[in-house]
Amino acid sequence: CLMVLVIGVPCLLAYAGLRLSTTRLALRGAHLEAHPGFPVRDPVVVAYSAVTGLALRRGLSGWITGAGSLVIERDREAPLVVPGLANPDSALSAVSERLAALGTRVSRD
């Protein structure tokens, strides 16, 4: 138990810190870039025209802290999940506004 406490807990804290510091969502002119965080190296580029739906997911800790995940549903590919956003409501509204400005219809859950 002591080995798990000495080795496991610092490794999990380092993993959580790296994931938190590398998660981001950037809205560009014709596409959005979502980086799901560590260990993924490159961001995922999604054209606004390929977005078919947006949703928020929150776990128990998300309801307590206000954090959550933004789920971006796409035409022909698996949904993209951007986890660990500190303010997912503002991210959802920003993406929705950008899509509305471009005339793209999406479903919001």
Side-chain angles (χ1 to χ4, degrees), residues 1-6:
C1 289
L2 188 58
M3 291 296 287
V4 170
L5 186 64
V6 170

Side-chain angles (χ1 to χ4, degrees), residues 8-70:
V9 173
C11 288
L12 288 174
L13 288 174
Y15 174 78
L18 285 170
R19 185 154 186 123
L20 181 65
S21 67
T22 58
T23 299
R24 64 184 173 273
L25 179 67
L27 304 178
R28 306 281 186 218
H31 64 275
L32 62 91
E33 293 178 6
H35 196 291
F38 182 80
V40 177
R41 195 180 96 183
D42 297 324
V44 178
V45 177
V46 179
Y48 290 121
S49 59
V51 176
T52 59
L54 297 170
L56 287 180
R57 273 196 221 154
R58 289 193 174 138
L60 178 61
S61 63
W63 288 110
I64 294 170
T65 63
S69 300
L70 178 64

